[in-house]
Amino acid sequence: MTARIAVAAVTFDRPKELAVLLDSIKAQTAAVDTICLVDSGTTPARSIADQHANVDYVRSEANLGGAGGFALAALKAVASGAKWIWMMDDDAVPADPECLATLVREAEARDLEAVVPLVTAPGQPDRLSFFFRLDGKVTHDRAEVEKLGFLPDDGHFFNGALIRSDVFFKVGLPDMRLFIRGDEVDFTIRLRQAGIRFGTVTTTAITHPHAFSETQHVYGAGWHVIVPESAFKRYYYYRNRGYLIRRYFRVRSFIADVGGYLGYFLQRRDLPGLLAWARTFSAGLRGKGFGPLEDQKF
């Protein structure tokens, strides 16, 4: 008997992308029982969801961010009784109709509790949207990563990740306090701490918008920092980095961030940028600055 699969998806004001995603899920050779879709957008996407009979549409009048949206969608998906939960953002698209079937096959063959595909940049199938660190250096080269075949205990959640439903009972749901930027890192750390068997398979992929411009090298190829383009994203990224460093006592990350961002902003003589980073990062270290979106000041 084939195990039941549910999709946990989130959307926010991307009707065209959502329509493409839902159609691509329908085209998968592996059957999906239900699509638990959480919509926090300013304009409801119910009309698009209603075009698919198996969509369980959940309207959120509050903007939950990616973290809260995935938490609610995953909980709904687990409640559906599915064995496997396929996590999906609205601007992600499986690379081919065999994507889900490949993930299920790899998970079962390798006895994994969670399996992640490669994430490629739209229109650039040879480039990975999010880097891997190999031999101390970061790479976006798909071919270089594909040579490894399988990357244990590593992966970019949540886009395209296939997670066994009982994992959420062991590690919990995505942390809605993080809103965006860092929720996937927090979840990955919890997987490792719980001894969950997971990894990235290089035999299938999804596409998702990249953030190449955010990666800024400071002291050569081995040391970089992430600098999001908008104040909105920078706030959550810096705050959540500080919070996660404190929560998991990540000494190496603390040293890398302090040294990296000091170097980055001083090299550019950007004192306002340095002060904004320090203020937001320290708030995260102190566990401050959390609350609904309308309470945040960028």
Side-chain angles (χ1 to χ4, degrees):
M1 183 177 178
T2 304
R4 294 183 60 199
I5 301 171
V7 170
V10 297
T11 187
F12 186 92
D13 289 349
R14 293 194 184 110
K16 293 181 180 178
E17 292 88 341
L18 176 61
V20 171
L21 171 64
L22 294 179
D23 287 341
S24 68
I25 293 173
K26 183 178 180 180
Q28 293 293 300
T29 58
V32 169
D33 289 272
T34 186
I35 301 172
C36 299
L37 176 66
V38 173
D39 176 15
S40 297
T42 58
T43 302
R46 181 179 292 275
S47 61
I48 298 171
D50 286 347
Q51 296 177 29
H52 298 265
N54 64 337
V55 173
D56 181 1
Y57 178 83
V58 181
R59 172 66 186 163
S60 175
E61 295 301 333
N63 186 351
L64 302 176
F70 275 126
L72 180 53
L75 187 60
K76 286 282 291 182
V78 171
S80 75
K83 177 181 178 180
W84 290 101
I85 312 301
W86 200 20
M87 310 290 284
M88 200 68 69
D89 205 351
D90 58 4
D91 54 357
V93 183
D96 60 72
E98 292 292 328
C99 181
L100 178 55
T102 301
L103 291 173
V104 173
R105 183 170 60 251
E106 291 280 359
E108 294 177 345
R110 298 178 184 275
D111 191 27
L112 301 173
E113 297 169 90
V115 61
V116 187
L118 291 177
V119 183
T120 62
Q124 302 180 65
D126 296 331
R127 295 273 287 166
L128 300 176
S129 292
F130 310 114
F131 66 79
F132 284 92
R133 186 177 292 276
L134 304 179
D135 299 324
K137 297 181 180 180
V138 300
T139 181
H140 289 271
D141 188 339
R142 180 177 183 176
E144 191 174 354
V145 176
E146 276 185 327
K147 292 186 299 185
L148 302 177
F150 177 67
L151 287 76
D153 301 318
D154 200 358
H156 296 291
F157 291 82
F158 294 106
N159 287 299
L162 183 68
I163 306 171
R164 218 167 64 187
S165 60
D166 60 353
V167 167
F168 294 103
F169 289 93
K170 299 174 183 178
V171 305
L173 297 164
D175 189 344
M176 69 177 292
R177 292 173 297 176
L178 300 176
F179 195 75
I180 60 169
R181 298 301 183 101
D183 51 315
E184 71 288 344
V185 175
D186 172 63
F187 192 78
T188 303
I189 294 172
R190 283 190 270 151
L191 292 178
R192 291 171 179 155
Q193 290 184 337
I196 301 299
R197 302 181 303 279
F198 76 98
T200 296
V201 296
T202 64
T203 51
T204 191
I206 67 165
T207 64
H208 182 276
H210 62 78
F212 297 152
S213 62
E214 294 185 356
T215 303
Q216 303 291 332
H217 295 281
V218 184
Y219 307 116
W223 198 333
H224 73 278
V225 294
I226 301 298
V227 183
E229 295 180 343
S230 70
F232 171 77
K233 292 180 179 179
R234 286 194 296 271
Y235 173 82
Y236 283 108
Y237 184 80
Y238 297 159
R239 185 202 68 180
N240 292 348
R241 287 284 295 182
Y243 172 75
L244 294 177
I245 285 172
R246 165 189 163 145
R247 178 175 180 178
Y248 298 108
F249 198 65
R250 306 179 77 191
V251 176
R252 291 180 61 183
S253 294
F254 177 79
I255 295 172
D257 276 27
V258 172
Y261 283 105
L262 277 173
Y264 173 80
F265 288 114
L266 291 177
Q267 287 172 10
R268 288 156 179 77
R269 299 181 181 179
D270 182 1
L271 182 58
L274 176 60
L275 293 177
W277 165 79
R279 183 170 56 251
T280 310
F281 181 72
S282 64
L285 284 174
R286 293 179 286 114
K288 304 295 183 180
F290 293 90
L293 176 63
E294 56 268 22
D295 293 347
Q296 306 306 320
K297 298 179 181 179
F298 309 112

